Amino acid sequence: MQGNNRSFNALLPWLIWLIAALFVIFQQFIGTFFSLIAPVFQANFNIQNTQVETITTIYFLSYGIMQIPAGLILDKFNIKPVLIAALLCTSAGTLLLMLVPFYFSALLAVVLLGIGTSFAYVCAIILFIQWFKQSRFAFVLGLMAGMGNVGMAILSYFTVANSSSTSLRTMLILLTLFALLILIGILIFIRSKPSATLTQPPTNTQSIFQSLIHVKKTETTG
């Protein structure tokens, strides 16, 4: 029994890494999704190409503006409920796109998507600081970035290849299921590492930026 617990404890950081990486893939893919299927979007929402571009712009604005608030929120609250709220917000955005096919509802939907996905990368960094040794931090971060780009490329290819034969509703259902799958993973596996064994212990007064500076200083002096 103890052997099983040790095996699970050894695997847990990588399960957490995978969940974080999937959320980053989702975030990167959403950034390209509307441009990839612009003709399908135009037909379903009865809008012009310039309006599709506006939808994409609003997403990136929402995502970008939320980066600093996301960091401040994560400085104050435990990462698990923040991630749950972020995925619920993301799922609400995809559901709104699916259920209410109007231009102004699409603008609201991408604002929700921007807010939800803005937590993906910052949360991943915090989890990696908590669960991985300093000597592995750069590796797991680079691995996530590589997986994110490869995953986005694969999803983009299949989206474009099947855009003429797959309805927008089906695509949005799949995106919602993807978000809910990540949410289930968060509910089951995401947790704060016990404070006695934290690799980089973030205290209540230590921000993610201070944690990253601490990691850098340790690597320099190590």
Side-chain angles (χ1 to χ4, degrees):
M1 190 70 176
Q2 290 181 347
N4 291 336
N5 287 335
R6 281 195 295 268
S7 297
F8 177 76
N9 290 335
L11 183 62
L12 182 58
W14 292 103
L15 290 171
I16 291 171
W17 174 89
L18 179 61
I19 294 163
L22 288 175
F23 195 13
V24 170
I25 290 173
F26 186 96
Q27 171 260 309
Q28 292 181 326
F29 177 66
I30 285 293
T32 64
F33 178 68
F34 306 105
S35 298
L36 287 173
I37 60 163
V40 178
F41 231 81
Q42 287 176 243
N44 280 265
F45 282 77
N46 193 26
I47 57 178
Q48 303 299 316
N49 187 56
T50 54
Q51 291 172 300
V52 177
E53 293 172 359
T54 299
I55 288 171
T56 304
T57 301
I58 293 298
Y59 167 75
F60 280 112
L61 281 174
S62 303
Y63 174 84
I65 291 170
M66 273 299 298
Q67 291 301 298
I68 293 176
L72 294 174
I73 290 169
L74 286 162
D75 283 342
K76 298 297 182 183
F77 299 99
N78 185 278
I79 193 169
K80 185 169 184 173
V82 172
L83 272 171
I84 291 171
L87 262 297
L88 289 174
C89 188
T90 300
S91 300
T94 56
L95 284 171
L96 183 59
L97 280 173
M98 180 176 65
L99 298 174
V100 189
F102 300 107
Y103 177 62
F104 289 105
S105 65
L107 294 177
L108 175 58
V110 295
V111 168
L112 292 173
L113 285 168
I115 293 171
T117 57
S118 67
F119 290 87
Y121 200 79
V122 182
C123 284
I125 292 175
I126 292 175
L127 288 169
F128 297 166
I129 288 173
Q130 289 185 352
W131 285 95
F132 289 93
K133 296 178 181 178
Q134 294 173 22
S135 58
R136 285 189 172 183
F137 183 77
F139 169 70
V140 296
L141 194 60
L143 188 62
M144 183 195 69
M147 181 177 173
N149 283 288
V150 171
M152 182 191 68
I154 292 171
L155 287 174
S156 298
Y157 171 79
F158 281 104
T159 299
V160 173
N162 294 284
S163 60
S164 60
S165 58
T166 305
S167 69
L168 179 61
R169 182 181 179 84
T170 299
M171 294 181 195
L172 292 171
I173 288 172
L174 291 173
L175 277 175
T176 304
L177 291 175
F178 189 7
L180 292 176
L181 175 65
I182 299 169
L183 177 59
I184 291 170
I186 290 169
L187 291 169
I188 296 173
F189 296 112
I190 297 296
R191 63 197 70 178
S192 294
K193 196 170 185 180
S195 57
T197 57
L198 276 173
T199 304
Q200 296 294 332
T203 65
N204 290 335
T205 59
Q206 184 181 39
S207 71
I208 177 61
F209 306 106
Q210 291 170 321
S211 299
L212 290 174
I213 291 170
H214 179 68
V215 171
K216 184 63 178 176
K217 286 181 178 177
T218 307
E219 289 178 346
T220 303
T221 57

